[in-house]
Amino acid sequence: MRRFTLSSLDLRGQLMLLSVVLLIIAMIGPQATLPRRVFDWFFVLDITQSMNVRDYILDGKSISRLEYSKNAMREALRDMPCGSTVALGMFTERGAQNIVQPLEVCAHFSALDQTIEHMDWRMAWAADSFITHGVLSAVDLTAKLGPNTHLAFFTDGHQAPPSNPDYLPKFDGKPGEVKGILVGTGKEELSRIPKLDEHDNIIGYWELEEVMRFATFGMMTSKSVAAMEADMEVEEEDGLNNRNASHGRNPAEDTKANLSGLDEITLMRLSEMTGLDYQRLNTLRGFANDVTATSMATWRSGKTDLRPWFAIPALLMILAFFMPAGFFDFVQQHLRFNKK
């Protein structure tokens, strides 16, 4: 009985046999602990009503800033290598809230993706939108999630009610200590803010008399102490004290408070203050590329799936099996020539 040996097979047969061996190994699911480049992110989404403005186009349809931001987050999630982590948060009123602690993207991809999909403007716990407070709050939360965690804060920068610069909070941290991106959403052109029903259909738009168009605190500190004391004497006679009044005396009115556009001036100021990068959200792929940039990576050892290293060569060998016979004759002649 003739004994089978590998040399008894021609080149075509050897390739098929080797491909079968590689596929068997791939089916076992080999893994190895190797250092690799990963990404750790905290995605925070502004869910205030100005984010419902539909000034994006996706697949030929108008889409809101909120929905476009969610699509960008989900696109980035698909690009992150295993071992990366993502935490999720939302912003409204004066602060960001962490709703999902950091989860590994491969093991928890479905949970993260579904959570992002269901993030909604109805989850807002207040109607106000104090952007500076929100960004600084998100920076503090990011620092608590870990030293390698980066922040991506999606917002159009719309302030409601209008802010008084004298009462904005100061940043106490070190600029750049928390890295990340302020993601500016929407177009600069002002648009009406829609009212939505339970099915997200537009049923009207907010009118000027329906929104807060005065700064919550109107008292300015640019006056001298003597002038302020004189004003206070008059106020006490009138029964009004600026420290307690909601708008102060003769406050300036924002006559476009019911309109919203991307406020890049505010976002760039916050970017400079915190050390975060500022990027306008123009394309879904653009954001995905930003969050997986080399400058945002961390090297960390972890389990690496080796199946592609076996499956891909096996696939190539199977494809080679169906090459014309003349191809194999040429390869064998070339190999014999090199041996000589």
Side-chain angles (χ1 to χ4, degrees), residues 4-24 314 317-318 321:
F4 172 80
T5 62
L6 186 61
S7 58
S8 62
L9 295 174
D10 60 8
L11 182 57
R12 188 193 296 265
Q14 292 174 2
L15 287 176
M16 181 55 70
L17 178 61
L18 186 55
S19 67
V20 171
V21 173
L22 291 176
L23 286 175
I24 291 173
M317 291 178 187
I318 292 173
F321 178 82

Side-chain angles (χ1 to χ4, degrees), residues 22-297:
L22 291 176
L23 286 175
I24 291 173
I25 296 174
M27 291 174 64
I28 296 173
Q31 293 184 337
T33 301
L34 300 172
R36 56 183 172 176
R37 191 173 63 182
V38 296
F39 304 90
D40 302 303
W41 281 94
F42 180 32
F43 291 163
V44 178
L45 179 63
D46 182 344
I47 58 171
T48 57
Q49 292 197 46
S50 64
M51 292 289 285
N52 289 329
V53 173
R54 299 178 180 178
D55 53 3
Y56 278 106
I57 302 295
L58 183 65
D59 297 330
K61 298 180 180 179
S62 296
I63 186 173
S64 71
R65 300 167 186 172
L66 184 73
E67 290 299 321
Y68 198 83
S69 298
K70 288 161 57 175
N71 275 281
M73 293 162 66
R74 297 174 73 186
E75 185 81 12
L77 197 65
R78 297 184 186 97
D79 277 13
M80 291 188 187
C82 292
S84 302
T85 64
V86 168
L88 300 175
M90 298 186 297
F91 158 73
T92 189
E93 196 192 20
R94 293 176 180 268
Q97 296 293 329
N98 182 199
I99 62 170
V100 175
Q101 291 295 315
L103 296 176
E104 199 276 330
V105 295
C106 289
H108 304 280
F109 178 84
S110 180
L112 288 167
D113 188 64
Q114 288 297 309
T115 301
I116 293 172
E117 183 181 9
H118 289 93
M119 292 168 77
D120 191 78
W121 61 275
R122 298 175 186 82
M123 297 177 179
W125 49 92
D128 295 340
S129 177
F130 295 92
I131 295 299
T132 301
H133 296 74
V135 171
L136 299 188
S137 169
V139 169
D140 289 340
L141 284 175
T142 304
K144 295 175 183 177
L145 292 175
N148 297 320
T149 304
H150 300 75
L151 170 65
F153 192 106
F154 291 80
T155 181
D156 52 20
H158 182 86
Q159 176 79 22
S163 62
N164 184 331
D166 289 4
Y167 291 91
L168 292 177
K170 305 300 180 184
F171 180 54
D172 297 326
K174 181 181 177 183
E177 188 171 11
V178 171
K179 297 181 180 180
I181 309 170
L182 271 177
V183 186
T185 65
K187 309 303 179 187
E188 290 183 89
E189 296 79 12
L190 295 176
S191 301
R192 293 186 297 173
I193 301 173
K195 296 178 182 179
L196 305 179
D197 65 11
E198 59 198 37
H199 302 295
D200 282 343
N201 297 313
I202 296 177
I203 57 175
Y205 294 89
W206 290 100
E207 301 297 337
L208 185 60
E209 60 271 12
E210 296 179 297
V211 301
M212 286 283 289
R213 55 189 186 274
F214 302 102
T216 305
F217 298 101
M219 186 172 66
M220 305 297 290
T221 60
S222 57
K223 294 182 179 181
S224 66
V225 174
M228 291 175 63
E229 290 177 349
D231 284 348
M232 289 175 66
E233 290 178 2
V234 175
E235 290 158 9
E236 288 173 358
E237 292 177 2
D238 296 339
L240 172 67
N241 190 309
N242 276 332
R243 291 173 298 178
N244 303 319
S246 59
H247 310 302
R249 293 181 63 86
N250 301 318
E253 178 184 2
D254 183 354
T255 59
K256 297 180 180 179
N258 62 319
L259 305 177
S260 176
L262 173 60
D263 187 353
E264 287 198 313
I265 294 176
T266 294
L267 296 182
M268 287 180 178
R269 175 182 60 80
L270 289 170
S271 171
E272 183 177 355
M273 179 192 300
T274 60
L276 298 171
D277 295 333
Y278 171 73
Q279 297 289 342
R280 184 186 291 198
L281 183 60
N282 290 321
T283 65
L284 303 181
R285 289 304 315 160
F287 175 72
N289 292 336
D290 288 338
V291 300
T292 56
T294 303
S295 59
M296 299 295 182

